Amino acid sequence: MSSDLKRKQKKKNPKPVQINPNWSLLQQKLKSDSNNSGNRKSSNNDDSDNPRSILGKRKERPDSEVDVPKISPLAPVNDDSSLTDEVAMDCEMVGVSQGTKSALGRVTLVNKWGNVLYDEFVRPVERVVDFRTHISGIRPRDLRKAKDFRVAQTKVAELIKGKILVGHALHNDLKVLLLTHPKKDIRDTAEYQPFLKDKTRKSLKHLASEFLGADIQNGEHCPIDDARAAMLLYQKNRREWERNVKDQTRMRLKQKKQEANFRIDGGEMRVMRSYRGSSIAGLVSHPASLSSLRSIFTGCRAVMLPRFGGPEVLELRENVPVPNLNPNEVLVRARAVSVNPLDCRIRAGYGRSVLQPHLPVIIGRDISGEVAAVGNSVKAFKVGQEVFGALHPTALRGTYTDYGILSEEELTEKPSSVSHVEASAIPFAALTAWRALKSNARILEGQRLLVFGGGAVGFAAIQLGVAFGCHVTASCVGQTKDRILAAGAEQAVDYLTEDIEVAVKGKFDAVLDTIGRPETERIGINFLRKGGNYMTLQGEAASLTDRYGFLIGLPLATSLLAKKKIQYQYSHGIDYWWTYMRADPEGLAEIQRLVGAGKLKIPVEKTFPITEVVAAHEAKEKKLVPGKVVLEL
């Protein structure tokens, strides 16, 4: 037989393969299970009851482990994206300047259903130095095609106008947006009383977890989730929340009906409503009896500005009414008020875009005197206490009056070591300098400061810089050189007789220019090292607004400031600021401490009685008096 035939026979009769006994048993079991599959499906314990079961029974997953998608408690309840009466807002910030100042990087608004109304990345006016990505979630690529700040600000203002605004710590969001909103229309989850534990505010993350069962802000924040969480917190407590708001409003109306009436007669206060066993002396010795009252005064003298012009337009009028005090306001019996350069500029028409519709107005910003009455929420002052302070530059009711009205944060106790005349010369100038050095430049001990101009603001800045431990150089005119050196400046240069670019050596961390001419700006910018700050008092916001109106002037000023910031940031690596005075309780407290210690003072050159206000303004405007002028009442 051939070999090929033998191979074919071998293939037809293959040798049986030995099967593992376990495999045989498994085959039998599977065949048996397939014949009884119907019975096995209907039985839950056949395999478990069979001791010979090889594979065993597959364990059933409990209902709790079934893969059912979880619905987020923050998810919108519908797809209605219309603008509602309640709007929630959340903003994410980035760091500008030296990274410590916040600017808007993203803003989100949702309606009462939680659906997004507006969600945009926003390009700040200033250069971003810290994206704060670990919190904000913002990256450089997000801002490359982001909305311009002005566009976003306008849109947000349009959406929230007339609406209930909901959010968490909304004052921070409104601050970076440069917007305000009526207090009666704000619902802030950081301030809602039932959410406060031991009078301390809880974070939004904590509130969302405790009251909503939502887990947010794990790592990078999502402003959409944050806005939805705030809105849901409000909606869940809406009925009780609104009832509290109504109760507070009702209480304020009730307090109005319980007002006490006072009258000014010959510069003194006389009680019109009788109190059992009380008198002015009794009220002064028990100031708490005034703390819940709002006051109405009449018969007060005030210097009025009926129209813009020269010193001759000022009018001293009798029986000018004094408005009711708001809860946070203090009525001050003025003893001295200083004449600031800003007062003269306002009288001549500076700020007319704000003041024109309100003429006649009372001018003046500084004041020193005694507390005559306090609003019902004022805690820091009592009747009869000596105080001094300054109003915001845009205040409509100034201090050239027998009785000035200032908010609690605009006043501080007057040190007994200085007179009312001396005290009245200090606050506005010192607070302007404080804002430049601390809020804008954030100057630190050991840094170098250059001050252009030795006027009230410049002299205050020199003394503050010395108090902060800085190395101060100043430019001035001859007669103030010795005074500046005596105040602690390391170098004083007379810019009329000396070349400051030759006389002064080295670079500075901050330059405060109180003169604000193109030449001083050029010199100041060139004296700064990279990362330094140039601050000028000659900002153009008010002048451009006066010239072109709010709709054109304000955006134009914003664009001009932004252009200068960008220009100097890229050409010199420095920050550029327009500096204005702002109320600052922390700054005022430090100023008060330095005044009391004799480390801060503004010399007064001449005083005038309030009846000679026209002569005082003429002396100041024509530079007949080189230093500070004060009016006495």
Side-chain angles (χ1 to χ4, degrees):
M1 194 181 288
S2 66
S3 60
D4 291 339
L5 185 58
K6 288 180 181 179
R7 280 195 298 268
K8 287 180 181 179
Q9 286 179 347
K10 284 181 182 179
K11 287 181 180 179
K12 288 180 181 178
N13 302 297
K15 201 179 215 180
V17 179
Q18 290 293 331
I19 300 177
N20 188 294
N22 290 333
W23 179 246
S24 300
L25 187 61
L26 177 60
Q27 284 182 321
Q28 293 174 12
K29 176 60 181 174
L30 292 174
K31 187 182 293 185
S32 173
D33 287 347
S34 64
N35 293 334
N36 300 292
S37 59
N39 294 333
R40 187 170 68 251
K41 287 179 182 178
S42 61
S43 175
N44 292 328
N45 57 3
D46 285 350
D47 289 339
S48 61
D49 292 340
N50 184 1
R52 295 181 298 168
S53 175
I54 297 174
L55 296 178
K57 180 187 174 186
R58 179 183 176 185
K59 292 182 179 180
E60 296 293 333
R61 295 176 66 185
D63 292 341
S64 61
E65 295 181 11
V66 176
D67 292 330
V68 178
K70 291 185 178 181
I71 300 176
S72 170
L74 302 181
V77 297
N78 58 38
D79 58 357
D80 183 354
S81 296
S82 61
L83 183 60
T84 53
D85 290 337
E86 296 111 12
V87 175
M89 179 172 72
D90 187 76
C91 295
E92 297 299 333
M93 289 76 154
V94 293
V96 296
S97 186
Q98 296 178 346
T100 54
K101 180 183 176 183
S102 295
L104 180 66
R106 183 178 176 184
V107 57
T108 301
L109 288 93
V110 303
N111 64 11
K112 71 177 182 180
W113 311 116
N115 292 304
V116 175
L117 298 171
Y118 189 75
D119 179 34
E120 293 288 351
F121 289 102
V122 181
R123 184 172 58 255
V125 174
E126 301 177 53
R127 186 174 70 89
V128 179
V129 298
D130 183 1
F131 288 88
R132 304 176 183 174
T133 306
H134 65 290
I135 295 176
S136 70
I138 299 172
R139 291 165 173 79
R141 64 173 180 267
D142 297 324
L143 300 188
R144 286 172 192 151
K145 295 185 179 181
K147 293 285 186 184
D148 181 74
F149 173 79
R150 177 62 62 179
V151 173
Q153 180 195 48
T154 302
K155 184 62 178 178
V156 171
E158 176 188 325
L159 289 171
I160 68 175
K161 184 177 181 180
K163 306 299 181 184
I164 297 295
L165 184 60
V166 181
H168 191 83
L170 278 169
H171 63 280
N172 292 325
D173 297 337
L174 292 170
K175 181 178 180 180
V176 295
L177 278 161
L178 302 181
L179 294 175
T180 59
H181 199 68
K183 188 174 181 180
K184 66 181 181 65
D185 292 335
I186 289 179
R187 304 294 182 267
D188 196 328
T189 55
E191 304 291 341
Y192 184 48
Q193 194 64 35
F195 291 162
L196 301 179
K197 186 176 182 180
D198 300 327
K199 295 184 178 181
T200 58
R201 298 181 181 90
K202 294 182 179 180
S203 67
L204 183 61
K205 176 181 175 65
H206 187 107
L207 294 175
S209 175
E210 181 177 350
F211 295 99
L212 305 177
D215 190 16
I216 63 172
Q217 297 182 351
N218 290 316
E220 297 178 10
H221 291 195
C222 173
I224 297 176
D225 284 348
D226 292 354
R228 285 172 174 170
M231 177 58 79
L232 192 54
L233 285 166
Y234 168 70
Q235 293 293 348
K236 283 182 173 291
N237 297 273
R238 184 177 184 277
R239 182 175 297 180
E240 185 63 28
W241 201 323
E242 294 303 321
R243 185 182 297 119
N244 289 344
V245 172
K246 289 181 180 178
D247 289 344
Q248 290 173 6
T249 303
R250 193 179 300 115
M251 186 178 298
R252 283 195 293 269
L253 292 174
K254 185 177 180 180
Q255 288 174 346
K256 273 188 176 181
K257 295 178 182 179
Q258 296 176 345
E259 289 176 347
N261 294 333
F262 296 85
R263 181 179 296 277
I264 302 300
D265 186 10
E268 298 299 329
M269 186 164 56
R270 183 174 71 242
V271 179
M272 296 182 65
R273 180 180 295 180
S274 62
Y275 292 90
R276 182 178 299 175
S278 68
S279 65
I280 279 296
L283 286 173
V284 171
S285 61
H286 299 88
S289 61
L290 278 176
S291 63
S292 62
L293 304 176
R294 301 169 90 194
S295 306
I296 300 175
F297 290 78
T298 60
C300 166
R301 295 179 303 165
V303 175
M304 307 297 294
L305 178 67
R307 64 189 183 281
F308 299 114
E312 70 279 359
V313 302
L314 297 175
E315 298 178 3
L316 180 62
R317 298 183 182 178
E318 302 283 344
N319 300 318
V320 176
V322 179
N324 289 348
L325 291 180
N326 288 321
N328 69 324
E329 289 180 335
V330 179
L331 186 72
V332 179
R333 173 64 173 98
R335 298 302 177 187
V337 296
S338 76
V339 177
N340 285 295
L342 179 63
D343 301 341
C344 297
R345 294 178 68 190
I346 287 175
R347 188 210 66 229
Y350 180 76
R352 67 173 66 242
S353 55
V354 174
L355 299 174
Q356 182 81 53
H358 304 281
L359 293 178
V361 296
I362 303 172
I363 63 172
R365 293 296 171 263
D366 285 318
I367 192 170
S368 183
E370 301 102 24
V371 175
V374 295
N376 53 33
S377 67
V378 174
K379 305 298 181 184
F381 303 107
K382 59 184 180 180
V383 174
Q385 187 175 2
E386 292 190 331
V387 294
F388 73 116
L391 288 167
H392 186 275
T394 59
L396 296 177
R397 189 181 190 280
T399 58
Y400 287 14
T401 174
D402 285 323
Y403 286 84
I405 296 177
L406 294 87
S407 67
E408 186 177 18
E409 68 177 10
E410 293 173 326
L411 288 168
T412 189
E413 183 178 9
K414 181 184 76 67
S416 58
S417 58
V418 296
S419 67
H420 285 299
V421 168
E422 293 170 320
S424 69
I426 295 170
F428 191 89
L431 282 169
T432 304
W434 173 276
R435 180 171 175 80
L437 302 184
K438 280 298 186 181
S439 299
N440 297 151
R442 298 183 182 275
I443 200 161
L444 302 172
E445 182 179 357
Q447 292 186 327
R448 297 191 74 203
L449 168 66
L450 174 61
V451 179
F452 282 101
V457 176
F459 194 55
I462 292 165
Q463 295 173 88
L464 288 173
V466 171
F468 299 155
C470 299
H471 304 286
V472 182
T473 297
S475 73
C476 58
V477 293
Q479 62 266 34
T480 59
K481 189 172 182 177
D482 292 339
R483 179 187 296 169
I484 287 172
L485 291 172
E490 295 178 355
Q491 184 178 8
V493 179
D494 186 346
Y495 62 80
L496 295 179
T497 61
E498 299 178 76
D499 186 345
I500 189 171
E501 292 178 277
V502 174
V504 176
K505 306 297 182 183
K507 295 291 186 178
F508 291 83
D509 300 283
V511 172
L512 174 58
D513 186 359
T514 68
I515 300 172
R517 295 172 183 164
E519 183 67 7
T520 56
E521 180 172 312
R522 180 190 65 79
I523 295 171
I525 294 293
N526 289 332
F527 265 126
L528 283 169
R529 59 170 52 102
K530 282 192 176 182
N533 290 269
Y534 173 87
M535 300 148 291
T536 177
L537 304 186
Q538 308 305 322
E540 299 186 48
S543 58
L544 289 173
T545 303
D546 290 343
R547 189 181 308 168
Y548 299 108
F550 274 104
L551 292 179
I552 298 176
L554 199 55
L556 185 60
T558 303
S559 299
L560 180 59
L561 177 59
K563 179 182 176 182
K564 289 231 178 189
K565 281 180 171 290
I566 294 169
Q567 172 191 340
Y568 288 128
Q569 183 64 57
Y570 281 95
S571 64
H572 292 75
I574 60 98
D575 280 323
Y576 180 95
W577 304 91
W578 288 348
T579 294
Y580 304 96
M581 177 270 189
R582 293 287 185 276
D584 188 325
E586 178 187 352
L588 195 56
E590 180 63 13
I591 288 165
Q592 188 256 9
R593 186 187 70 80
L594 293 173
V595 171
K599 296 181 180 180
L600 176 59
K601 57 184 177 181
I602 308 294
V604 177
E605 295 291 338
K606 188 173 178 61
T607 62
F608 293 82
I610 191 69
T611 53
E612 297 179 16
V613 63
V614 173
H617 267 243
E618 285 178 344
K620 190 67 180 174
E621 188 162 80
K622 296 178 181 179
K623 298 183 179 179
L624 302 176
V625 178
K628 198 73 171 178
V629 172
V630 170
L631 299 171
E632 293 185 276
L633 295 93

